[in-house]
């Protein structure tokens, strides 16, 4: 690349400066000094396993064999990000988990699982291999502060070799990280009671809102309710139901005495740009916040 850049510069100078001849451009240029060792190299272009030069590696060829006594080493977030960079992925395809094992010759074999996200490039779980493989001569994957570090990390074209198989088995033992949910995603509600949570009365405005969420009103109304702080920005609410005269056959005997809801409305300030989310709740026995809110309503009478 340096010789190419110099050649292009010389051509430009020859065109711009009068009296310069292009004849010398076709003579062999003097030998250039060798480039510095590569820190990393791109994935191999053929199916053959590459053998880095001694200046880029341990000096021994990579055979794919497992080192004696090799154990699983889990990759951290920085190492996974480095593998994504070398694997030329990211956004549409990511590596959520990975592991490495010691190979013979001072090498380390790396396996990562792939995860396909929504994309417009046509990538699907059927078209993307479930695992990707790499080889490195550094257990840190070259993540060092020393600028003179010449560690290498390159992609394997397949999973050939017992070391790759072992690394893949290690990855399978690592649970997939839980996806990061939006704070307003109902899936993030756990029913865990917030530390120091106390009983709070439900305002008339919120009761009207919950009647809309519960799709009641007229025949059934919510005259009062109590709530407690749950996990995150969520509040667990229990409201008392009141059955009013109606022609739908609804009575105090066939309508539950309480109704349960989850809402983040009390956590939203007037200036907040976040959306208000409320939804009905069918509490489980493990829902501590719902149990606490029910006791609060019963104590209120």
């Amino acid at each position: 690349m340096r010789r190419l850049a110099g050649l292009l510069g010389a051509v430009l100078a020859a065109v711009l400066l009068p009296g310069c001849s292009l004849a010398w451009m076709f003579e062999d240029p003097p030998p250039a000094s060798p480039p510095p060792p590569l820190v990393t190299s791109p994935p191999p272009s053929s199916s053959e396993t590459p053998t880095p030069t001694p200046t880029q590696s341990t000096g021994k060829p990579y055979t794919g064999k497992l080192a004696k006594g090799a154990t699983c080493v889990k990759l951290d977030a920085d190492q996974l990000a480095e593998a994504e960079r070398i694997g030329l992925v990211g956004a549409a395809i990511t590596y959520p988990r990975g592991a490495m094992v010691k190979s013979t010759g001072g090498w380390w074999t790396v396996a990562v699982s792939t995860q396909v996200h929504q994309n417009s490039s046509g990538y699907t779980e059927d078209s993307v291999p479930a695992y990707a493989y790499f080889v490195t001569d550094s257990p840190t994957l070259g993540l060092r502060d020393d600028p003179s570090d010449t560690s290498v990390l390159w992609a394997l074209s397949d999973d050939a070799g017992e070391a790759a198989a072992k690394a893949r088995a290690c990855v399978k033992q690592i649970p997939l990280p839980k996806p990061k949910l939006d704070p307003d995603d109902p899936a993030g509600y756990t029913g865990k009671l917030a530390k120091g949570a106390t009983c709070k009365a439900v305002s008339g405005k919120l009761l009207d809102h919950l009647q809309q969420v519960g799709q009641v009103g007229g025949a059934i109304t919510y005259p009062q309710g109590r709530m407690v702080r749950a996990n995150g920005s969520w509040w667990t609410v229990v409201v008392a139901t009141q059955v009013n005269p109606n022609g739908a056959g609804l009575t105090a005997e066939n309508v539950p005495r309480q109704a349960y809801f989850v809402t983040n409305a009390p956590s939203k300030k007037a200036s907040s740009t976040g959306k208000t989310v409320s939804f009905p709740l069918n509490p489980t026995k493990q829902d501590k916040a719902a149990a606490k809110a029910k006791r609060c309503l019963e104590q209120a009478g």
Side-chain angles (χ1 to χ4, degrees):
M1 291 297 294
R2 295 178 179 176
R3 292 174 57 185
L4 178 59
L7 187 61
L8 292 176
V11 171
L12 182 61
V15 173
L16 297 179
L17 298 177
C20 291
S21 172
L22 295 179
W24 63 271
M25 297 297 298
F26 300 98
E27 298 177 0
D28 290 335
S33 57
L38 297 177
V39 175
T40 58
S41 60
S45 58
S46 67
S47 60
E48 298 179 357
T49 301
T51 302
T53 62
T55 58
Q56 296 173 295
S57 69
T58 62
K60 297 180 181 180
Y62 175 74
T63 64
K65 294 182 178 180
L66 196 62
K68 185 177 180 180
T71 58
C72 301
V73 179
K74 182 181 177 181
L75 301 187
D76 60 26
D78 290 337
Q79 291 171 320
L80 288 171
E82 178 67 2
E84 288 179 0
R85 187 182 72 82
I86 298 301
L88 303 178
V89 300
I93 302 172
T94 57
Y95 299 152
R97 55 182 177 169
M100 67 171 70
V101 293
K102 188 70 177 292
S103 310
T104 56
W107 295 101
W108 291 80
T109 305
V110 181
V112 294
S113 65
T114 61
Q115 185 173 7
V116 181
H117 306 270
Q118 284 188 336
N119 65 90
S120 58
S121 302
Y123 294 116
T124 66
E125 292 183 355
D126 294 330
S127 63
V128 176
Y131 296 90
Y133 303 88
F134 300 86
V135 174
T136 180
D137 61 354
S138 169
T140 64
L141 272 65
L143 296 175
R144 301 174 183 172
D145 296 330
D146 185 0
S148 64
D149 177 24
T150 57
S151 299
V152 294
L153 172 65
W154 36 265
L156 281 174
S157 56
D158 54 42
D159 60 348
E162 59 179 352
K166 172 67 174 179
R168 181 176 64 249
C170 293
V171 175
K172 291 181 178 180
Q173 297 174 7
I174 303 173
L176 279 170
K178 294 182 179 180
K180 293 182 179 180
L181 297 175
D182 185 281
D184 297 324
D185 189 334
Y189 174 75
T190 66
K192 183 179 179 180
L193 194 63
K195 185 177 181 180
T198 58
C199 302
K200 301 288 185 181
V202 180
S203 68
K205 181 178 180 180
L206 183 54
L207 287 171
D208 291 341
H209 169 68
L210 294 178
Q211 286 182 179
Q212 296 178 10
V213 175
Q215 298 181 345
V216 298
I220 300 174
T221 54
Y222 300 152
Q224 66 166 325
R226 293 294 184 273
M227 61 184 178
V228 294
R229 185 69 178 263
N231 66 292
S233 60
W234 299 112
W235 291 74
T236 307
V237 184
V238 179
V239 297
T241 60
Q242 177 177 301
V243 182
N244 305 308
N246 65 89
L250 298 175
T251 68
E253 284 72 31
N254 57 26
V255 173
R257 296 179 58 188
Q258 297 99 16
Y260 295 79
F261 296 90
V262 175
T263 182
N264 62 358
S267 298
K268 299 295 180 181
K269 297 180 180 179
S271 59
S272 175
T273 57
K275 59 184 178 180
T276 297
V277 178
S278 304
F279 56 92
L281 176 68
N282 184 16
T284 64
K285 293 181 179 180
Q286 291 74 34
D287 194 318
K288 303 298 184 182
K292 172 73 172 179
K294 182 180 179 180
R295 291 195 297 270
C296 292
L297 182 63
E298 291 173 345
Q299 292 170 1

